[in-house]
Amino acid sequence: MKKLWEGRFNKETNKLLEKFNASITFDKRMYEEDITGSIAHSRMLAKQGIIGKDEQEQIEKGLLQIKSEIENGTFEFKIEDEDIHMSIEKRLTEIIGAVAGKLHTARSRNDQVALDVRMYVRKEAKEIKKLLFHLEHTLLELSEKYKTTIIPGYTHLQRAQPILFSHHLMAYFQMFKRDISRIDDFLVRIDELPLGAGALAGTTFNLDRHFVAEQLGFSKPTENSLDSVSDRDFIIELAMIISVISMHLSRFSEEVIIWCTSEFSFIQLDDSFATGSSIMPQKKNPDIAELVRGKTGRIYGNLMGILTTMKALPLAYNKDMQEDKEGIFDSIDNIKLSIEIFYSMLATISVNEEKILKSMRAGFLNATDVADYLAKHNVPFRQAHKIVGEIVSYCENKNIAIDDMSLDEFHNFSKVFGDDILSEITIENCVNKRNSFGGTSVKNVEMQIENAKKFLDVE
Ligand code: ARG
């Protein structure tokens, strides 16, 4: 089998090497970037008088034919062609003959692959951003729907203080908003064209790299040819951003799973987004949330994989770098699926408001508010804390809530309590008095919702 690089070789390639060396099975998904990049390169070569205009036209026509062959499924990907770059170039030679050989003038696969993978991850990062916006819309809608629903807030997974369900959802809104801004930052840094770096040192041809950059939607060419072909920071960065998104989704998944237990029963999943058990007829399992949580493992693994591959690699290109693709492709595929299914599931949940309300009586959620009450009546907070600790202990022994105590009982602990104490510590008051900027009061959540709308408007 003929190779594009066969000139200096006197023997056929070993079959096992061919299989081991090939990346075509996974890099074929970059065919569109490869073809778009090649067209831009050929146009620049023609503009600079390096190849003829008619030659460029033949090359472009051939490349477009290959694109449609790939898209209609008639293109044959062969292991012996090694990778998507050589596969396409070989087919181009079959279609237009020897002139195809001019396409690779002033180009190496090293800058070619650097370009393709950059364009591919840039495109996918934008897709991930769109999905995150969709998730944000879903969170906003749910927050509006359940704006005044109160749930217990937790620290250490122990009941802490009452909060609005919408406040809890808007916390996730902030997390995904940061993820969106991380993608935006990433898109700024990735915005440089590596093509034109050649194998490592630049080329002897009079290229117009700014023209190619413009054609391919980059704001400028990279400044250092060695760095251009050696750099995979952008893959690491996206793998890191995806890891953070996955971590956020995993925390959310964990809460959905807990909220769905019989012990909590705070929410119910729609039947279309839950699964059953093959043996236990009563089961309704939150598989989606579990799997989204589970995928975080492989997504972190992909980040560790690429970081470790790049560690200690000397400049410039090394074949190790072919290992940059499968991991990031896997992270991209899985995060896209995870975000999409997660917001679809979320949009259909129902919240068991009554069950939550009932459960709010246990756990002394208003204990801090009793202490705050005393502190506002000039009792030093530390002392107030101790008094309320004693009240909680007393209530625990009597198996009652703080709100069940009479004013006389309150007075046994402190004479400072007035007859407004019970009305001050209702669950609604506990929420709405938390009106410090960023707190859980309805007023604050309304502000968050307004800001969220503004953020989503400029999407
Ligand atoms: N398939 C290779 C990769 O993914 C393309 C670059 C090959 N360059 C080379 N000099 N062998 O990294």
Side-chain angles (χ1 to χ4, degrees):
M1 178 56 70
K2 280 196 173 309
K3 295 277 188 255
L4 290 176
W5 37 256
E6 69 185 354
R8 59 104 65 222
F9 287 81
N10 298 317
K11 273 187 171 180
E12 285 263 301
T13 316
N14 175 286
K15 282 282 158 227
L16 196 53
L17 162 64
E18 228 163 48
K19 193 172 160 199
F20 186 63
N21 212 29
S23 52
I24 186 74
T25 51
F26 51 87
D27 66 16
K28 61 182 180 201
R29 67 160 83 190
M30 304 189 309
Y31 76 88
E32 205 180 344
E33 287 71 26
D34 197 74
I35 288 172
T36 313
S38 287
I39 290 176
H41 180 65
S42 70
R43 285 183 186 169
M44 182 275 291
L45 292 177
K47 182 180 90 69
Q48 299 298 94
I50 300 168
I51 64 172
K53 288 230 170 338
D54 55 319
E55 291 171 332
Q56 191 282 326
E57 275 163 24
Q58 287 181 64
I59 288 171
E60 181 159 339
K61 201 161 159 255
L63 287 170
L64 291 174
Q65 179 183 327
I66 294 172
K67 185 162 181 268
S68 55
E69 285 175 7
I70 294 175
E71 283 167 359
N72 67 31
T74 54
F75 188 92
E76 217 193 318
F77 294 101
K78 298 193 201 96
I79 287 284
E80 55 275 21
D81 291 339
E82 197 177 321
D83 56 28
I84 187 65
H85 327 294
M86 297 217 281
S87 213
I88 289 175
E89 196 184 323
K90 190 143 160 257
R91 178 73 189 123
L92 188 64
T93 313
E94 283 168 15
I95 300 172
I96 64 171
V99 66
K102 295 207 167 186
L103 170 62
H104 211 54
T105 313
R107 187 175 74 168
S108 154
R109 261 189 305 158
N110 297 350
D111 56 345
Q112 188 178 0
V113 72
L115 170 69
D116 290 5
V117 75
R118 237 176 219 259
M119 291 209 296
Y120 184 82
V121 302
R122 179 178 68 172
K123 173 179 85 185
E124 292 293 350
K126 289 179 184 166
E127 287 302 307
I128 295 169
K129 188 175 147 181
K130 272 191 209 150
L131 291 166
L132 286 173
F133 267 113
H134 201 127
L135 174 57
E136 295 287 59
H137 274 287
T138 309
L139 285 170
L140 184 62
E141 276 157 32
L142 276 180
S143 299
E144 288 197 291
K145 182 166 173 196
Y146 295 107
K147 196 167 80 189
T148 54
T149 305
I150 300 173
I151 62 166
Y154 296 82
T155 65
H156 311 266
L157 206 55
Q158 303 287 320
R159 291 184 165 215
Q161 293 170 354
I163 55 171
L164 291 178
F165 185 55
S166 49
H167 194 54
H168 199 110
L169 294 172
M170 291 311 284
Y172 282 101
F173 188 97
Q174 294 295 330
M175 289 146 90
F176 296 118
K177 188 177 161 197
R178 288 196 294 275
D179 293 333
I180 290 170
S181 86
R182 264 184 275 275
I183 293 181
D184 286 337
D185 295 345
F186 162 81
L187 289 172
V188 172
R189 261 188 304 282
I190 201 175
D191 188 23
E192 291 184 358
L193 170 90
L195 198 71
L200 73 163
T203 92
T204 55
F205 293 89
N206 175 28
L207 304 185
D208 185 349
R209 295 186 63 209
H210 289 88
F211 173 82
V212 182
E214 203 191 309
Q215 296 258 303
L216 297 175
F218 290 97
S219 55
K220 56 179 182 297
T222 49
E223 268 184 31
N224 182 298
S225 62
L226 277 181
D227 178 48
S228 314
V229 288
S230 312
D231 173 32
R232 294 295 183 271
D233 291 2
F234 55 95
I235 294 184
I236 294 172
E237 270 191 55
L238 187 61
M240 186 281 288
I241 293 169
I242 293 175
S243 295
V244 176
I245 299 170
S246 190
M247 177 268 287
H248 288 157
L249 281 176
S250 171
R251 296 181 75 171
F252 206 165
S253 294
E254 173 74 7
E255 300 205 297
V256 166
I257 293 163
I258 292 174
W259 290 342
C260 284
T261 58
S262 312
E263 287 74 10
F264 273 74
S265 293
F266 282 5
I267 63 166
Q268 236 176 332
L269 298 180
D270 190 78
D271 277 1
S272 58
F273 285 98
T275 54
S277 152
S278 60
I279 174 170
M280 296 166 283
Q282 85 283 13
K283 291 294 287 275
K284 180 168 168 183
N285 295 328
D287 281 30
I288 293 176
E290 292 169 78
L291 207 46
V292 167
R293 182 179 61 180
K295 282 184 185 296
T296 313
R298 70 196 284 169
I299 286 173
Y300 289 2
N302 292 331
L303 172 61
M304 283 306 126
I306 179 64
L307 274 172
T308 313
T309 295
M310 295 308 292
K311 171 187 175 294
L313 276 192
L315 305 187
Y317 178 82
N318 299 270
K319 186 77 176 191
D320 313 44
M321 288 159 70
Q322 181 166 288
E323 287 293 311
D324 64 354
K325 293 175 199 63
E326 286 159 289
I328 190 68
F329 292 168
D330 183 74
S331 287
I332 289 168
D333 293 346
N334 280 292
I335 204 68
K336 281 168 68 184
L337 268 176
S338 296
I339 302 171
E340 188 177 358
I341 197 151
F342 198 85
Y343 67 62
S344 309
M345 173 193 75
L346 216 51
T348 63
I349 61 163
S350 48
V351 177
N352 303 336
E353 301 191 58
E354 252 172 60
K355 172 86 207 308
I356 297 172
L357 202 62
K358 264 195 212 147
S359 79
M360 301 284 290
R361 284 190 55 76
F364 305 103
L365 284 159
N366 49 8
T368 315
D369 298 76
V370 181
D372 284 355
Y373 176 96
L374 291 173
K376 284 175 190 165
H377 289 80
N378 218 18
V379 180
F381 185 77
R382 275 287 148 248
Q383 200 185 330
H385 186 285
K386 184 163 174 281
I387 294 169
V388 180
E390 285 160 12
I391 293 179
V392 167
S393 165
Y394 170 81
C395 289
E396 250 175 359
N397 284 335
K398 285 191 71 178
N399 201 16
I400 57 170
I402 297 179
D403 323 48
D404 297 330
M405 292 198 334
S406 66
L407 192 56
D408 282 347
E409 282 173 301
F410 274 105
H411 282 159
N412 289 338
F413 293 94
S414 167
K415 294 283 178 254
V416 174
F417 288 117
D419 51 14
D420 57 345
I421 177 62
L422 284 180
S423 62
E424 285 292 302
I425 59 164
T426 60
I427 290 297
E428 287 75 17
N429 260 340
C430 293
V431 167
N432 284 319
K433 284 185 177 252
R434 290 210 157 62
N435 206 11
S436 56
F437 189 84
T440 191
S441 70
V442 174
K443 209 171 131 237
N444 273 336
V445 171
E446 277 168 352
M447 173 202 74
Q448 293 179 51
I449 288 176
E450 279 320 300
N451 288 340
K453 282 183 184 159
K454 277 184 218 146
F455 172 70
L456 294 182
D457 265 355
V458 298
E459 175 187 342

